[in-house]
Amino acid sequence: MYLCPSFKHAKHDLMTWWESILLGLIQGITEFLPVSSSGHLVLAQHFLGLDAADSDVLFEVMVHFGTIMSILWVYRSRILNLVQGFVQSAIHPTDWEKAYKSEEHFRMGIHILITMIPTFTVYAIWGGAIEAAFSSPRLAAGMLLVTGVLLILTRLVKAPTGAVTAPKSFVIGCAQAFAMIPGISRSGSTICAALYQGVDPEKAADFSFLMLIPVVIGATVFKIADAFSAAAVADWAILLLGTLIAFVSGIAAIRLVLDFVRRGRLQYFAFYCFLVGGLGLALL
């Protein structure tokens, strides 16, 4: 998810190469696979002896930048057309109703904006409690089981072919807000919410990834001030390595999820969530 703890090894102040590679890989893969990046990072923090620390918030910002670049790379043509089409229609407020009905890019932009309403509302009200939840590995492990249930229930959805609409967008946004809890997969919950409402699987996955862009950018900007306060002691080679790992693994993860969604095999990730969540609860 787009909210996650920063990390510092309990025995030293600066992140090591292997920690940068590991956490960049975890972030890049699990940000897009429906298995919860926040849950994995919280469990990694516990089992690898990593402590949350404000001094490493710069690493968090950098790996999130890597995942943003993953989406921009995979969807680069579509995003360019989306932005151009939305801006061209948005500058004519008197034609918004007509543009919403006839212009696909403007309609998509409106739907993405709608998803942000519940997301930012929930964070504004319960942000402190949400961030405090990242200190509980048992909660993260338990919520991975919930994610597994959400995924396996997609088997009950029979060949959805519908499109994303404004009301459906709001529900998907609520699912994204729910995924602020560590262990609840953002991509998993949003794709499932779309499928449950009869949205075509490929459209559901595309919308899930595209709607992540403004949220991650917003969360990253929110952390920028803290990140620059830590920049003086940063090892930029290690930071850039983690960012690159997150970028490359993120591209692979997006393509893997799209393939699984197209084939109607999203529920396979449920068994992994059950395994990791169950082991986490057993070992904690």
Side-chain angles (χ1 to χ4, degrees), residues 8 15 19 21 25 32 52 60 63 80 126 131 137 164 202 207 218 252:
K8 180 182 75 173
M15 183 171 292
E19 288 171 357
I21 293 172
L25 188 63
F32 303 111
E60 177 186 346
V63 294
L80 180 60
W126 292 292
E131 293 187 1
V164 176
E202 188 167 354
F207 187 69

Side-chain angles (χ1 to χ4, degrees), residues 60-62 64-65 68 215-225:
E60 177 186 346
V61 170
M62 292 294 289
H64 274 105
F65 175 74
I68 292 173
V215 176
V216 175
I217 291 176
T220 300
V221 170
F222 184 75
K223 293 283 189 178
I224 285 293

Side-chain angles (χ1 to χ4, degrees), residues 135-181:
S135 63
S136 175
R138 286 191 64 84
L139 175 63
M143 290 300 101
L144 277 169
L145 300 182
V146 175
T147 293
V149 172
L150 292 174
L151 293 172
I152 209 163
L153 287 177
T154 59
R155 290 297 299 163
L156 301 178
V157 181
K158 302 300 181 182
T161 58
V164 176
T165 63
K168 291 177 183 179
S169 299
F170 186 81
V171 174
I172 296 170
C174 290
Q176 180 166 254
F178 178 53
M180 290 184 190
I181 302 172

Side-chain angles (χ1 to χ4, degrees), residues 90-197:
I91 60 178
H92 302 290
T94 57
D95 296 329
W96 282 357
E97 183 177 356
K98 179 181 178 181
Y100 179 80
K101 294 178 180 179
S102 60
E103 299 294 334
E104 177 185 357
H105 297 128
F106 182 73
R107 186 165 56 248
M108 173 70 80
I110 292 297
H111 292 163
I112 290 175
L113 290 175
I114 290 173
T115 67
M116 296 168 64
I117 297 173
T119 301
F120 286 105
T121 299
V122 168
Y123 185 74
I125 298 174
W126 292 292
I130 291 169
E131 293 187 1
F134 284 94
S135 63
S136 175
R138 286 191 64 84
L139 175 63
M143 290 300 101
L144 277 169
L145 300 182
V146 175
T147 293
V149 172
L150 292 174
L151 293 172
I152 209 163
L153 287 177
T154 59
R155 290 297 299 163
L156 301 178
V157 181
K158 302 300 181 182
T161 58
V164 176
T165 63
K168 291 177 183 179
S169 299
F170 186 81
V171 174
I172 296 170
C174 290
Q176 180 166 254
F178 178 53
M180 290 184 190
I181 302 172
I184 299 297
S185 166
R186 192 214 66 89
S187 62
S189 62
T190 53
I191 292 173
C192 287
L195 293 177
Y196 296 157
Q197 297 179 92

Side-chain angles (χ1 to χ4, degrees), residues 5 11 31 44 52 57 66 71 105 111 119 124-125 154 160 169-170 195 206-207 210 231 250 260 268 271 273 277 282:
K11 296 182 180 179
E31 182 71 67
V57 72
I71 303 174
H105 297 128
H111 292 163
T119 301
I125 298 174
T154 59
S169 299
F170 186 81
L195 293 177
D206 287 344
F207 187 69
L210 290 172
F260 270 71
Y268 289 176
F271 303 111
C273 291

